[in-house]
Amino acid sequence: MYFYCEKCKKEYPISSHFYRCECGGMFRLHKEAAEPLETPITLGDFPTPLLPIEAEGKDFILKLENLLPTGSFKDRGAKTLINAIHRDGIKKIALDSAGNAGASIAAYAAAAGMECTVYVPDDASLETIAQIEGYGAKIVKVPNGRMNACTAVKANLGDAYYASHVYNPLFFEGMKAMAKEMTDQLDGHIPDYIFIPVGNGTLLIGLFLGFMELGRLPHFVAVQPSKCAPVYEAYHGLDPQPKKQTIAQALRIEEPKRLSFILSAIKASFGDVITVEDKDILSAKQRLGHRGVYVELSSAAAFAGALKYFKNGKPDNYRVILPMTGNGLKR
Ligand SMILES: [Zn+2]
């Protein structure tokens, strides 16, 4: 198992302190099909259930990732990443995150006995910061937004390994499991549509890689808040608009690092990219809450997106999955 550059194909070991190629290309993971990824470090994670719901006369299927140990889907990536680098002897890590990834990686790092520092934008939610600190990680607050947190961690790594959920392909490797899991739960059927809230595209890329291994792709519909929609603009060839604050904090990513990968995955799936308004995200969160499903706003964006996309009807036989990416207690 090793990393290679997606541009020039140069190879790097997993434990490398390079987080991208010297040529500037992003890393991908090379792994032999038969090579098992052992994961002795666990927090009691489990296959998350599917929950059918009906709304506006249409049926959807929620994938309850909000029930994972730290309350978000990112536990899947964190588990694989931490297990692999722990096996390679890494003892000290740093990363940047505005929320769920920071909590997930801090939790699994704690289980592995690693020293962990998380750079967060200084407007990150208090709940998020409290959770990351609760796992014993050190917090460094960085002013002026998420991108600055990314720049700051890279400039101050020292001897720490950059355990990034955006740069490090081991994170996507962990996300892949969700594709196989939901297909098994659907008695071997690949879903027809998956509505995916997209910020950095972690979930979309992970699911794409997972379904590629299964041999068929669902239609991926990426959902972005209209106030910050770089993937939507790029996909539809629109002029970039100024990026504003949205209530869906996890989706406030102005420049996704793997944009071209995200676009090609959506195209390959004959999917689409749509936007939703903050007020619709809020109303979708309430509707889910009033059915007993309490999720964070970015998860509600997927539901709002599905309602918008199928406004004029949805064929009954379409299996439409809405991943509930995070617990509402987070914010
Ligand atoms: Zn390269």
Side-chain angles (χ1 to χ4, degrees), residues 9 24 132 146 238 261 288 322-323 330:
K9 312 296 177 201
I132 294 171
R146 179 71 186 78
L238 305 171
F261 195 168
L288 289 166
L322 313 178
K330 284 169 172 279

Side-chain angles (χ1 to χ4, degrees), residues 250-263:
L251 308 182
R252 258 172 34 193
I253 304 295
E254 298 178 16
E255 295 169 31
K257 294 277 185 302
R258 293 183 184 266
L259 180 62
S260 59
F261 195 168
I262 293 171
L263 297 175

